[in-house]
C-alpha cells in the first residue's frame, strides 16, 4: 500500500512544493502508515497531526481536507485487502 499512499499524498501535495521530488513526503507517509496500522486516531486527524508536526504553520490544510485524503487512503486500503 506504500506506493498508493505515496501517490495520493504526492498528488495532494499539501505544501504545494514545485518541483516535487517523488520522496518529498516519505517521512510523513511512513508515519501515516504506522498510525493507520495502530488505529489509535482517525485517519484524518492522523494526517493533520503528522503534517502539522513536520511542517508547523507552513501546513495550512484543514482537518476537513485531511479527511478527504483519509477517505481516498481508506478506499485504496479496502481495494488492496
Amino acid at each position: 500500500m506504500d506506493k498508493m499512499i505515496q501517490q495520493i499524498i504526492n498528488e495532494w501535495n499539501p505544501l504545494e512544493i514545485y518541483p516535487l521530488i517523488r520522496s518529498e513526503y516519505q517521512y510523513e507517509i511512513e508515519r501515516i502508515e504506522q498510525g493507520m496500522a495502530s488505529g489509535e486516531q482517525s485517519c484524518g486527524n492522523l494526517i493533520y497531526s503528522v503534517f502539522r508536526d513536520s511542517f508547523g504553520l507552513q501546513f495550512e490544510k484543514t482537518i476537513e481536507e485531511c479527511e478527504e485524503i483519509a477517505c481516498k487512503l481508506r478506499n485504496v486500503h479496502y481495494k488492496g485487502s
Side-chain angles (χ1 to χ4, degrees):
M1 186 165 73
D2 176 60
K3 296 281 186 212
M4 292 306 296
I5 291 176
Q6 184 177 43
Q7 181 179 342
I8 290 168
I9 298 295
N10 284 347
E11 286 175 4
W12 181 38
N13 193 4
L15 290 162
E16 299 178 6
I17 297 170
Y18 298 102
L20 180 71
I21 59 171
R22 188 167 189 244
S23 63
E24 189 72 50
Y25 299 116
Q26 192 60 42
Y27 174 72
E28 291 75 27
I29 291 166
E30 289 171 6
R31 289 185 56 204
I32 290 167
E33 281 187 304
Q34 291 170 357
M36 287 175 69
S38 74
E40 291 182 22
Q41 60 181 315
S42 80
C43 193
N45 285 335
L46 171 66
I47 293 168
Y48 183 85
S49 297
V50 165
F51 278 97
R52 183 54 72 123
D53 183 50
S54 288
F55 299 104
L57 296 177
Q58 288 180 311
F59 179 69
E60 299 177 338
K61 303 298 184 188
T62 64
I63 292 282
E64 291 78 17
E65 290 171 291
C66 293
E67 284 294 341
E68 290 176 23
I69 297 304
C71 183
K72 290 180 181 183
L73 294 178
R74 281 190 294 272
N75 287 338
V76 166
H77 175 72
Y78 291 128
K79 287 179 185 176
S81 297

